Amino acid sequence: MDIREVDDPQDGDLDAWHSLVSAVHLHDHPGDPAPDPGQTIGRFSGGGARRLWTVPHGDGFGAVASVWLPGDPAVRAAEIDIHVLPALRRRGIGLTLLRRAADAARRDGRSSALAQALAGTPAVPFLERYGFRCLLTTRSLVLRPGDVDPSAQAALNPEGYRLIRWTGPVPDHLAVVFAQAKSAMADHDEGDSAWNADVVRETADAVAKRGDDLYTVAALHGSVIAGFTEIVVPGDVPERAFQYDTAVVPEHRGRRIGLWVKAAMLEWIKDERPEVVEIETDNSHDNVHMLAVNEALGYQPLREFREYLASVADLP
Ligand SMILES: CC(C)(COP(=O)(O)OP(=O)(O)OC[C@H]1O[C@@H](n2cnc3c(N)ncnc32)[C@H](O)[C@@H]1OP(=O)(O)O)[C@@H](O)C(=O)NCCC(=O)NCCS
């Protein structure tokens, strides 16, 4: 097997690397939007050393591997990433590349290594065979607005609350109370929160700069925002929208406000953006109650990401 270490990747290497990662993605995550080149190439920038290996195949690569060696070797884990073309799997290429990566991590003085896998793909038996154990799973859920009727839930209207909504940055007169509601997401009692009116506006401006549309529905109680939910519809692929933050302020919980605002949002998106085919949410951003709300609205499990850790001494 011809394995080449790449010290200083040129544009052609990065293009071939991206083509391989895209082909693997298409095979292992069917139906998912392909990664964009910025995402693939972004992995080569940022702090810390990287070692890269490629296996030439035809005009491009049949397999690639990287190990990222960030920060202090005594405290930070190495991060290993290996991709093998579907047609070249089960020939020992993955194992050979894992040996190179593990060796580089050991030589750098690392004691542990991280890797990621999508549940249900060959990466799971591969990593588990060689000493990785699953640390964390993140479940994504998806809802198809065309398949659900949220009208009954959108009509819940808990007494004493009314709905408001806006697109883009929060209107100025609500910026302070919205920042207070955002702080409720942290769910901690330390008092200080990273959210204030300026940060809320800057976050919304960043979404607009990317060319995406931000929708917010909030439940108002007097002049206080008791709960809210946000959806972002990407400018380039509006078919798949993403759930952003949802929170209900602690003293307003238990009144089905979370379900109400999310159902009202769904009605709005169905009406305003009929091109949205799917809305995706990630449960690392949601708590247990929000998962129950998501299920009540009709969200279905989409995929599960697993984060793996190994002691490099156990790796081949
Ligand atoms: C995971 C991956 C890198 C494995 O590459 P590969 O070249 O097929 O791996 P190998 O041939 O070296 O397999 C070594 C062993 O892993 C295990 N394994 C690999 N694929 C497996 C599968 N589909 N089912 C069960 N076991 C599997 C087997 O024990 C295999 O040994 P065997 O073939 O003698 O039974 C490849 O499937 C891939 O590119 N996946 C997508 C990218 C990814 O998710 N990478 C994350 C891991 S860093």
Side-chain angles (χ1 to χ4, degrees):
M1 190 185 314
D2 178 15
I3 298 182
R4 297 184 188 170
E5 180 154 8
V6 184
D7 291 328
D8 181 19
Q10 303 299 307
D11 287 352
D13 298 318
L14 297 175
D15 291 345
W17 195 294
H18 179 66
S19 303
L20 169 67
V21 168
S22 300
V24 166
H25 188 94
L26 213 66
H27 181 266
D28 289 0
H29 310 217
D32 240 33
D36 67 75
Q39 270 172 290
T40 309
I41 289 154
R43 297 184 72 105
F44 298 107
S45 51
R50 270 173 194 76
R51 305 261 317 257
L52 311 173
W53 297 269
T54 61
V55 177
H57 178 71
D59 292 340
F61 300 145
V64 294
S66 65
V67 59
W68 181 39
L69 305 162
D72 179 358
V75 289
R76 298 280 300 270
E79 291 195 22
I80 293 176
D81 192 32
I82 301 169
H83 284 79
V84 179
L85 268 189
L88 302 179
R89 291 184 184 169
R90 301 305 287 272
R91 300 177 187 186
I93 299 176
L95 171 59
T96 307
L97 290 170
L98 178 60
R99 286 201 169 104
R100 296 280 176 115
D103 193 45
R106 282 187 285 259
R107 282 167 189 268
D108 193 53
R110 308 278 157 169
S111 56
S112 52
L114 291 165
Q116 288 166 340
L118 187 66
T121 68
V124 169
F126 173 79
L127 292 173
E128 292 181 355
R129 167 148 185 207
Y130 296 116
F132 282 91
R133 59 192 170 76
C134 184
L135 270 187
L136 180 84
T137 62
T138 310
R139 290 186 187 88
S140 302
L141 305 171
V142 70
L143 175 138
R144 299 176 70 86
D147 293 350
V148 297
D149 176 7
S151 54
Q153 294 148 324
L156 279 171
N157 207 347
E159 205 182 324
Y161 297 86
R162 70 185 176 86
L163 288 178
I164 50 170
R165 65 192 199 186
W166 63 87
T167 50
V170 58
D172 283 347
H173 69 286
L174 291 169
V176 171
V177 287
F178 186 48
Q180 286 161 353
K182 280 255 181 186
S183 304
M185 281 180 316
D187 252 355
H188 51 209
D189 301 314
E190 293 126 47
D192 266 2
S193 155
W195 291 106
N196 59 42
D198 290 336
V199 175
V200 163
R201 282 193 204 97
E202 282 159 19
T203 309
D205 286 343
V207 173
K209 271 203 194 100
R210 291 200 311 259
D212 301 345
D213 298 323
L214 171 65
Y215 294 83
T216 307
V217 172
L220 209 56
H221 181 74
S223 58
V224 169
I225 289 182
F228 68 92
T229 189
E230 299 168 319
I231 292 263
V232 168
V233 180
D236 51 353
V237 192
E239 293 76 18
R240 175 163 290 178
F242 293 90
Q243 177 71 56
Y244 271 38
D245 294 336
T246 300
V248 178
V249 175
E251 47 277 35
H252 296 276
R253 290 183 187 164
R255 297 179 175 86
R256 309 184 82 192
I257 289 170
L259 182 60
W260 183 42
V261 292
K262 287 192 101 168
M265 170 67 88
L266 210 44
E267 281 206 312
W268 187 21
I269 293 291
K270 278 172 75 114
D271 205 38
E272 184 88 3
R273 300 299 298 263
E275 70 273 41
V276 172
V277 178
E278 294 180 331
I279 303 174
E280 187 177 332
T281 188
D282 189 332
N283 84 343
S284 68
H285 297 137
D286 280 336
N287 58 30
V288 177
H289 300 293
M290 215 46 83
L291 264 180
V293 165
N294 287 336
E295 276 166 22
L297 285 168
Y299 274 91
Q300 306 280 333
L302 176 65
R303 64 173 106 78
E304 186 181 299
F305 277 109
R306 297 184 174 194
E307 187 88 33
Y308 279 92
L309 183 72
S311 160
V312 294
D314 296 341
L315 290 177

